[in-house]
Amino acid sequence: MIHIAILGFGVVGSGSAEVLTQNRELIAKHCGEEVNIKYILDLREFPDHPLGERVVHDIRVILDDPEVALVAEMMGGAHPAYDFTRAAIEAGKHVVTSNKEVVATFGVELLKLARKHHVSYLFEASVGGGIPIIRPLQTDLASNQILSVSGILNGTTNFILTKMEREGADFASALKEAQANGYAEANPAADVEGLDAARKIVILAALAFGVLLDPNKISTTGITGITKDHTAAARALGGAVKLIGHTRTVDGKVLAMVSPFFVPSQNPVSHVDGVFNGILVDANMLGRALFYGAGAGKLPTASAVVADIIDILSHRAEERSLPQWRTATAEEQTDASVLVCRHLFLIEGCAKCADKATKALRAEACVGVEGGRYALISAPMTAKEARDALSELTVVLTVPVLD
Ligand code: HSE
């Protein structure tokens, strides 16, 4: 029997216990032995839960028990999750986590520490919920140079946008439903203001390009400014406005950003609705591949956590090669201002203004939208070039296009 400990018995922690219990035999077969949850660390008691008597409140109980081979951290937040992760690694325990804040902030240091102590630090559940994306980028696409990674990385905001667009729901009630379903962060501002997606895109950028950017410093715009104008413009041009995390290199520097993008209907990401995430990887040999599935929620996220547990426990005899990330220097990174792409514009004015805008933006499409407005898609250019081209016109909104 192999003993493990769970840190944090919230949505994902209790979901992981459920996966480990429900699929016990299957998991034992993969690991070669039964996996036992010896401890659950939480501030609360769970007297009615079948594993309630395994709850402890002191991390030392877990750290000091040599029988515990692996710790699954699902506490959320930076502290004390980071501190407990460090301590567990230093105590020679493998760690798996769903905690994107810890990976995005301390990933370089924790991976280095894990290598030093000859243990694993895996984080499949930190991006895309249940979708396999970390391992595929690390292993299955290792023969490729990654050109870009773009996609819907936050289930809560995609759920809200879909509800608003499809059912005309208001923002507050859609958010409440996402919270009731266990999708949202403890502080949902992290979802709606784009920080959760920012943490995830810097993790993907690190996997793709080897350097970890500061998630608090990349260009980040959430969905709080999305209005009916966006929906109307997107509908007129055939597509949807989605909150997108995007990373690529520009002139040898890493760009990572989060922003609402217009996604034309030819791009499969435009059809990713509800709590689902869709991550489009463009690789130089494979071409484009879409990773699609449940991006948040109890059992989908737990499924990825337990996959990491199995991965480690079924390869205990081998020392794993962990990603070798570095912290990005100022010279190694750049920002959204250098992104050359098409832009969606909604402008106000007469048909003459629309003609003028079409020429200035070298637009391929210009369609009338109700209320005497026009939606246009510019030729590829930077956001500044596009804004400057329309400086004499009344621009209602502008968003980049994800082609
Ligand atoms: N709040 C996150 C989301 C949870 O909605 O995607 C999964 O990381």
Side-chain angles (χ1 to χ4, degrees):
M1 187 175 282
I2 314 169
H3 300 279
I4 69 165
I6 284 177
L7 310 189
F9 209 51
V11 174
V12 184
S14 61
S16 298
E18 199 172 322
V19 174
L20 285 161
T21 309
Q22 209 167 305
N23 287 349
R24 175 187 320 196
E25 283 175 25
L26 175 87
I27 293 165
K29 225 182 246 173
H30 285 302
C31 297
E33 277 180 78
E34 203 167 302
V35 179
N36 175 48
I37 303 169
K38 189 163 181 184
Y39 303 109
I40 294 166
L41 181 83
D42 203 285
L43 293 171
R44 301 159 291 183
E45 296 287 350
F46 297 89
D48 302 327
H49 194 280
L51 300 176
E53 83 246 17
R54 308 195 189 177
V55 172
V56 295
H57 305 296
D58 183 355
I59 186 71
R60 288 254 54 108
V61 177
I62 295 167
L63 299 177
D64 292 344
D65 185 339
E67 268 195 347
V68 175
L70 180 148
V71 166
E73 185 274 300
M74 292 162 282
M75 308 177 74
H79 299 283
Y82 155 75
D83 313 85
F84 290 176
T85 301
R86 263 202 80 97
I89 292 173
E90 280 167 344
K93 302 183 191 307
H94 301 288
V95 177
V96 304
T97 187
S98 58
N99 193 327
K100 51 259 160 153
E101 187 170 353
V102 169
V103 179
T105 314
F106 304 106
V108 171
E109 174 194 331
L110 291 173
L111 285 164
K112 198 169 162 198
L113 194 68
R115 277 196 299 275
K116 182 176 163 198
H117 289 272
H118 309 287
V119 294
S120 285
Y121 179 55
L122 301 191
F123 42 88
E124 183 60 66
S126 65
V127 180
I131 309 170
I133 179 66
I134 303 286
R135 202 170 282 106
L137 272 175
Q138 244 177 276
T139 59
D140 306 311
L141 295 176
S143 60
N144 284 255
Q145 193 180 328
I146 304 299
L147 304 174
S148 67
V149 183
S150 327
I152 296 168
L153 301 175
N154 182 272
T156 300
T157 46
N158 205 45
F159 180 85
I160 294 171
L161 289 178
T162 306
K163 283 255 160 197
M164 286 168 71
E165 193 191 313
R166 294 281 160 81
E167 298 166 26
D170 66 280
F171 189 95
S173 67
L175 172 59
K176 223 179 226 168
E177 202 178 329
Q179 286 175 301
N181 291 343
Y183 306 151
E185 297 302 294
N187 176 2
D191 295 299
V192 300
E193 284 166 14
L195 184 53
D196 179 74
R199 291 170 182 146
K200 292 168 176 168
I201 198 66
V202 304
I203 295 173
L204 297 178
L207 287 162
F209 307 119
V211 290
L212 188 66
L213 278 64
D214 183 339
N216 296 303
K217 293 196 180 142
I218 67 166
S219 316
T220 302
T221 309
I223 64 162
T224 50
I226 300 280
T227 63
K228 289 200 164 68
D229 289 334
H230 289 82
T231 318
R235 197 171 294 142
L237 288 163
V241 171
K242 298 285 188 187
L243 185 69
I244 298 293
H246 177 69
T247 185
R248 66 182 322 111
T249 55
V250 179
D251 297 331
K253 297 183 178 199
V254 179
L255 160 66
M257 63 185 285
V258 173
S259 168
F261 274 68
F262 170 65
V263 190
S265 60
Q266 304 89 295
N267 186 325
V269 172
S270 77
H271 306 287
V272 173
D273 287 333
V275 72
F276 285 84
N277 284 188
I279 305 162
L280 200 55
V281 177
D282 195 359
N284 72 338
M285 295 295 136
L286 169 72
R288 284 182 155 196
L290 178 69
F291 295 82
Y292 169 82
K298 183 175 177 169
L299 294 179
T301 311
S303 139
V305 171
V306 177
D308 278 347
I309 295 176
I310 294 171
D311 190 0
I312 292 173
L313 298 183
S314 58
H315 295 98
R316 268 168 302 157
E318 306 155 29
E319 181 145 349
R320 172 180 300 281
S321 97
L322 297 174
Q324 307 251 5
W325 293 351
R326 283 182 297 107
T327 302
T329 62
E331 292 71 42
E332 285 173 322
Q333 52 191 298
T334 186
D335 65 22
S337 66
V338 300
L339 180 70
V340 174
C341 66
R342 303 197 298 161
H343 289 80
L344 162 66
F345 280 89
L346 185 64
I347 62 159
E348 222 150 49
C350 56
K352 229 168 140 187
C353 298
D355 274 349
K356 208 171 157 188
T358 304
K359 283 199 190 90
L361 294 172
R362 306 191 304 280
E364 294 152 23
C366 174
V367 293
V369 180
E370 63 189 59
R373 292 166 165 185
Y374 292 90
L376 301 92
I377 295 195
S378 74
M381 53 184 78
T382 65
K384 182 170 182 312
E385 281 164 351
R387 269 195 316 272
D388 289 351
L390 291 191
S391 57
E392 287 165 29
L393 297 171
T394 310
V395 177
V396 181
L397 66 89
T398 164
V399 284
V401 175
L402 186 70
D403 279 310

